Amino acid sequence: MFTLNDDERAINDTARDFADEFLAPNAVEWDQKKHFPVDVLRKAAGLGMGGIYIREDVGGSGLTRVDAVRIFEQLATGDPSIAAYISIHNMVAWMIDTYGNDEQRQRWLPGLCSMDQLGSYCLTEPGAGSDAAKLGTKAVRDGDEYVLDGVKQFISGAGTSEVYVVMARTGAPGPRGISAFIVPKDTAGLSFGPNEKKMGWNAQPTRQVIFEGARVPAANLLGGEGDGFRIAMNGLNGGRINIAACSIGGAQSALDKAVAYLADRNAFGARLLDSQALQFRLADFKTELEAARTLLWRAADALQNDAADKVEMCAMAKRFGTDTGFEVANGALQLLGGYGYLAEYGVEKIVRDLRVHQILEGTNEIMRVVVARSIVGAA
């Protein structure tokens, strides 16, 4: 797992080259202008990044979860916000690939893998975040259709995406009453709130997704009635390790910027990089990132192989990776001094982008709950 073969190294290098050419030079401008670069996303899809771990018969790349976290880390060195959206898009495609019937797979996945159609994941609601099982969006069967009513909150890509995987209540309270639906953007009764004003992640839109009597064909039910919560949670296992990878990649970029600055900056007659105190900080940052990366690869391997401990491993990797990524990026900003606070150097953007990673895909407090349950349950 820890020594890349030639094929794995080529995949890694392709992702890094893409980030260096198409993401990094534009990241600050996209952030400032709140520009969602759909054309660049489609370039990424041309390299297989629209369906990284999707089966090949529908246009996917058929790669492993370990391949995926390496790809997302490299993409995030260019722009964590765009890398994170590609992760969400892949999670949507994976749910359809894994739980969809053949007709659903053939209908939706070619467009998602090419990113001619973008995907969004709709679980969170204004009143249901960490306690997702209490979601209130309803789907009522009416003949050959379901009628959806409710509001989803904090939905990445909303308003631009063409495909929405939506969790809605078809049965009794609790997780067993939740089902999953594939909802196209042009569905009557589907609308979107304004683009949220956010601390970071400005290069991707975040809006409410609103359902008011939205009629969805019964054929768009993903899995069976009552399968939605299980589908959502299984999707989040992958989302958690991907977002950890984005944190590690963003932090690595911030650290690289700090090292370059310290090598170029002189104070008190010497390069800042020659200060042993600063070298010790850099050594700690490198060590912490490598520890996070090692745990991440271990979790990705557990998920790929359906290991018994995959859920807690993904939770641990997400908590540790996103906390470490933010702390390293924030520390890198400090090393740049006043320049770190300026937008043109790009480090303050990374800090803002990585902060939300500690919240989404399950807050890091919830990750601790998941891990604690695995300890208590085994006692």
Side-chain angles (χ1 to χ4, degrees):
M1 186 193 305
F2 299 105
T3 301
L4 276 60
N5 61 36
D6 289 344
D7 288 343
E8 291 167 336
R9 192 174 297 108
I11 292 168
N12 214 53
D13 290 348
T14 296
R16 183 55 183 258
D17 290 345
F18 182 86
D20 289 346
E21 181 176 358
F22 294 105
L23 303 185
N26 301 299
V28 171
E29 181 181 0
W30 290 342
D31 175 74
Q32 293 174 346
K33 294 183 177 180
K34 296 188 176 182
H35 174 66
F36 190 36
V38 174
D39 58 332
V40 175
L41 294 176
R42 289 176 179 151
K43 289 181 185 293
L47 297 173
M49 297 178 196
I52 295 170
Y53 34 83
I54 307 306
R55 284 174 278 178
E56 294 177 273
D57 66 307
V58 287
S61 298
L63 299 178
T64 70
R65 292 290 188 165
V66 180
D67 292 324
V69 295
R70 291 176 183 143
I71 288 169
F72 287 118
E73 178 181 345
Q74 297 309 318
L75 291 177
T77 63
D79 191 338
S81 176
I82 297 305
Y85 173 75
I86 295 174
S87 165
I88 293 166
H89 173 91
N90 271 268
M91 181 168 63
V92 169
W94 177 84
M95 290 184 201
I96 298 173
D97 191 36
T98 303
Y99 296 101
N101 57 40
D102 189 62
E103 182 180 348
Q104 290 170 334
R105 292 182 66 250
Q106 297 296 333
R107 178 179 177 186
W108 300 105
L109 288 172
L112 288 169
C113 290
S114 67
M115 297 188 95
D116 289 334
Q117 292 185 312
L118 302 181
S120 289
Y121 172 70
C122 300
L123 175 64
T124 300
E125 297 181 359
S130 294
D131 188 7
K134 64 175 283 189
L135 65 82
T137 297
K138 293 183 179 179
V140 178
R141 184 71 181 254
D142 182 19
D144 292 334
E145 297 177 317
Y146 284 88
V147 182
L148 274 62
D149 287 283
V151 178
K152 296 296 180 178
Q153 183 76 31
F154 304 131
I155 307 305
S156 293
T160 301
S161 293
E162 289 85 4
V163 181
Y164 298 81
V165 171
V166 180
M167 309 305 157
R169 189 166 301 285
T170 53
R176 294 184 180 180
I178 297 170
S179 301
F181 298 88
I182 306 169
V183 182
K185 180 182 179 180
D186 61 2
T187 299
L190 171 61
S191 62
F192 306 97
N195 194 7
E196 302 284 5
K197 297 178 181 179
K198 308 187 295 288
M199 175 180 177
W201 268 28
N202 290 318
Q204 55 165 291
T206 303
R207 294 183 169 91
Q208 286 187 335
V209 179
I210 303 163
F211 302 95
E212 297 174 297
R215 289 186 169 270
V216 178
N220 288 22
L221 175 68
L222 194 57
E225 282 201 7
D227 289 341
F229 192 75
R230 178 173 63 93
I231 292 171
M233 294 301 104
N234 287 341
L236 283 174
N237 288 329
R240 287 166 180 167
I241 58 173
N242 290 350
I243 212 66
C246 291
S247 289
I248 293 168
Q252 185 66 60
S253 177
L255 179 57
D256 292 345
K257 292 176 187 292
V259 171
Y261 172 81
L262 295 176
D264 190 56
R265 180 82 168 180
N266 287 279
F268 307 109
R271 294 190 311 166
L272 288 177
L273 190 60
D274 295 326
S275 164
Q276 190 173 67
L278 298 183
Q279 289 177 358
F280 282 2
R281 292 200 69 188
L282 294 173
D284 284 345
F285 290 158
K286 182 177 178 64
T287 302
E288 288 155 12
L289 282 180
E290 189 58 37
R293 186 178 292 115
T294 300
L295 178 58
L296 173 65
W297 290 11
R298 163 76 172 84
D301 182 71
L303 184 58
Q304 178 66 33
N305 291 296
D306 197 27
D309 61 352
K310 66 180 181 181
V311 175
E312 55 262 40
M313 286 304 308
C314 290
M316 285 190 283
K318 193 271 180 182
R319 199 287 298 168
F320 189 70
T322 58
D323 281 350
T324 299
F326 177 76
E327 292 301 327
V328 169
N330 196 43
L333 188 153
Q334 185 73 18
L335 291 178
L336 267 75
Y339 292 102
Y341 206 64
L342 298 181
E344 66 185 279
Y345 286 79
V347 179
E348 63 84 30
K349 175 199 177 298
I350 295 172
V351 172
R352 288 187 289 105
D353 282 346
L354 298 195
R355 181 61 184 86
V356 75
H357 294 189
Q358 296 169 292
I359 298 171
L360 53 83
E361 311 288 35
T363 67
N364 283 2
E365 290 74 18
I366 293 297
M367 296 305 96
R368 291 178 171 91
V369 170
V370 172
V371 176
R373 283 175 179 166
S374 74
I375 299 169
V376 173

